[in-house]
Amino acid sequence: VTAEFPTDAINRAKQILSYLPGGVGAYSDSRGSGGVRQEVADYITARDGFAANPDNIFLTDGASVAVRMCLNALIRDSSDGILVPIPQYPLYSASIQLYGGSLVPYYLDESNNWGLNVESVKNSVLKARDEGKHVRGMVFINPGNPTGQCLSRDNLSELIKFAYDNNVVLMADEVYQENIYQDERPFHAARKVMFEMGEPYASGLELLSFHTVSKGTLGECGLRGGYVEMTNIHPKSVEEIYK
């Protein structure tokens, strides 16, 4: 083996194997290997400057699986609405329909770099409530797919305040965060902005953050690996998803 592979690659493989004492064919924690989750938590901590708890991280075979898992937990019946940006990645519309919920569209502002207009979101919520729907979650995709925009920090602050004030679970689809090719609008993680805003948002906003290894430097969509980090989600809810 040492003749075929460099020492650092061998050491890394041994480290990963140490996370899987039962071997790659054995059952592990339903959230994924504890060692891998700790590495994900370390990455999030280094990115945001705020500690992440590996117990609140679920590894999945791609971020899409994590999104569907969370939507399934949020949606009870057709009266439950999920805010989704238009234009959007069709995973959301298809999954909401699959789980029997209602899609509540809000429209991105093309004239403002496909930015998010909170007043437009508020109008979508009011319209949905007039129709008897309970808006339980809000999806936003940052960097955008298919628009490619990066939301400004001010935009994210508005979004966080809106979600907190309306008791809406925020679903941050951040799978393209490594794919930034300009300096004008850098990526800001919703989690980091939320903690920097302080209370009541830092401990009161329910946030689901999604990322994947299928994008970024790998860019291999067939290599399925992703996660969701659950921040400020009630422990009993996390336990139910864990089951």
Side-chain angles (χ1 to χ4, degrees):
V1 175
T2 55
E4 298 291 332
F5 299 100
T7 302
D8 62 333
I10 294 171
N11 291 338
R12 180 63 171 151
K14 288 180 177 178
Q15 181 184 24
I16 293 172
L17 286 172
S18 73
Y19 297 157
L20 308 167
V24 294
Y27 283 119
S28 66
D29 189 302
S30 296
R31 294 166 297 186
S33 161
V36 177
R37 285 187 288 114
Q38 182 61 61
E39 290 201 13
V40 172
D42 292 344
Y43 158 77
I44 295 169
T45 300
R47 183 195 66 188
D48 296 346
F50 298 93
N53 183 351
D55 289 341
N56 294 330
I57 294 169
F58 286 66
L59 305 180
T60 54
D61 51 331
S64 296
V65 173
V67 167
R68 289 195 292 268
M69 178 177 71
C70 292
L71 285 173
N72 194 25
L74 272 173
I75 295 170
R76 299 167 298 185
D77 54 42
S78 60
S79 67
D80 286 338
I82 306 295
L83 284 156
V84 176
I86 303 297
Q88 53 115 5
Y89 177 55
L91 163 70
Y92 295 98
S93 53
S95 299
I96 291 166
Q97 184 174 17
L98 175 66
Y99 297 126
S102 295
L103 185 146
V104 179
Y106 66 91
Y107 295 86
L108 300 178
D109 185 356
E110 184 176 3
S111 65
N112 187 29
N113 293 313
W114 294 105
L116 190 152
N117 186 317
V118 173
E119 289 304 315
S120 174
V121 178
K122 289 178 180 177
N123 290 336
S124 293
V125 171
L126 291 174
K127 183 175 183 294
R129 287 174 177 167
D130 286 343
E131 295 170 353
K133 295 183 176 65
H134 307 286
V135 179
R136 290 169 59 81
M138 178 177 180
V139 174
F140 75 96
I141 307 172
N142 182 45
N145 179 11
T147 59
Q149 96 288 3
C150 280
L151 296 179
S152 68
R153 192 187 185 286
D154 288 344
N155 225 178
L156 284 168
S157 296
E158 286 184 299
L159 181 57
I160 288 166
K161 289 177 182 176
F162 164 81
Y164 176 82
D165 290 342
N166 288 273
N167 197 28
V168 169
V169 177
L170 203 53
M171 302 178 68
D173 182 334
E174 299 174 330
V175 302
Y176 286 100
Q177 62 187 263
E178 313 294 341
N179 301 83
I180 307 298
Y181 305 111
Q182 47 77 34
D183 298 323
E184 182 181 350
R185 280 184 173 255
F187 168 76
H188 299 282
R191 178 184 183 276
K192 180 178 182 180
V193 174
M194 179 190 73
F195 281 126
E196 287 177 344
M197 289 171 67
E199 298 300 342
Y201 313 105
S203 65
L205 175 70
E206 294 176 295
L207 176 65
L208 301 167
S209 303
F210 305 94
H211 197 16
T212 179
V213 298
S214 303
K215 311 297 189 294
T217 53
L218 289 178
E220 295 284 354
C221 295
L223 294 177
R224 308 306 298 162
Y227 72 79
V228 56
E229 183 195 18
M230 302 181 180
T231 306
N232 298 328
I233 303 298
H234 194 283
K236 291 293 184 182
S237 297
V238 177
E239 283 181 19
E240 286 300 315
I241 296 172
Y242 182 31
K243 291 177 182 178

